[in-house]
Amino acid sequence: MIKITGGKLRGQVLKTPSSATTHPMGARERLALFNAVVSRRALEGAAVLDLYAGSGALGFEALSRGAQTVEFVEKSPEAGQVIWENAANLAFQTRIKLHQKPVENFLNKLSKTAQFDVILVDPPYDNFNWQEFHELSRQLKKGGVLALSHPQSFKPNTEEVAFSDLTLESTKAYAAARISLFTKN
């Protein structure tokens, strides 16, 4: 069972896909992630992108905390259905957009102009490829925040994986994962 950890819908229960294709971020990690994001950029009125959305927990957290809109990207049809059900249960249907496709396909079709204030990325770790996310910085507005959940083995502050127009603000460990926050210069 996943509950929203903050904002006006704190404590609301979210449905989750029954399949093992998604791995919901734990409540402690979500709370830490959003506290860190909000300390760098207010969510009030923000446009948010949630990649590898699963149940939509990260995007719904953002909406609960004041985001204006969230675009979810999730290839699993079952997870996509769960996102729509959660949106209906929380009365957020008009504030979300669901892209039912692989993240790589979505990223290849994005325009070159900044569209988002916050980008949340929680990919599967078994096939983690940081280069997929390297172009994400062009989608962030100036001062925007990119939150990346990644395996412990990925070191985002090394020269070979540096983002040219993003500043690494923090990296914190949570069990087998790390959450790194970047801001757009």
Side-chain angles (χ1 to χ4, degrees):
M1 176 170 60
I2 295 178
K3 290 184 179 183
I4 293 178
T5 63
K8 65 182 179 182
L9 297 177
R10 183 175 185 227
Q12 290 286 329
V13 175
L14 295 173
K15 291 184 176 186
T16 58
S18 59
S19 70
T21 59
T22 62
H23 69 283
M25 186 180 287
R28 189 182 112 208
E29 291 84 0
R30 275 185 290 118
L31 184 59
L33 181 147
F34 279 95
N35 287 342
V37 167
V38 169
S39 74
R40 285 162 181 81
R41 202 244 174 253
L43 281 172
E44 198 62 43
V48 176
L49 176 61
D50 182 357
L51 299 176
Y52 303 96
S55 66
L58 294 179
F60 291 118
E61 276 290 342
L63 288 165
S64 178
R65 293 165 185 257
Q68 182 63 39
T69 60
V70 174
E71 291 193 36
F72 296 96
V73 181
E74 175 54 56
K75 70 178 180 181
S76 163
E78 180 190 4
Q81 181 61 39
V82 167
I83 289 170
W84 281 119
E85 289 173 17
N86 283 329
N89 291 342
L90 301 171
F92 283 142
Q93 303 97 308
T94 61
R95 294 174 56 194
I96 74 161
K97 185 172 186 179
L98 174 63
H99 302 275
Q100 191 85 50
K101 59 179 72 174
V103 167
E104 310 79 48
N105 294 359
F106 174 79
L107 294 176
N108 288 334
K109 303 260 190 238
L110 279 176
S111 74
K112 304 276 189 229
T113 58
Q115 302 173 46
F116 300 101
D117 300 294
V118 176
I119 298 176
L120 307 167
V121 186
D122 186 17
Y125 293 172
D126 60 347
N127 194 2
F128 183 80
N129 178 3
W130 73 272
Q131 290 156 331
E132 288 177 14
F133 315 116
H134 206 264
E135 295 298 316
L136 275 178
S137 64
R138 72 176 185 216
Q139 298 304 315
L140 271 178
K141 295 176 183 173
K142 187 175 174 88
V145 175
L146 170 67
L148 174 62
S149 175
H150 56 85
Q152 293 270 3
S153 59
F154 175 68
K155 306 294 184 215
N157 54 351
T158 59
E159 223 175 90
E160 58 271 7
V161 298
F163 293 95
S164 61
D165 56 349
L166 295 179
T167 301
L168 177 64
E169 298 288 341
S170 69
T171 297
K172 298 224 168 92
Y174 300 94
R178 286 187 180 271
I179 297 174
S180 294
L181 291 179
F182 303 85
T183 55
K184 176 87 174 240
N185 303 327

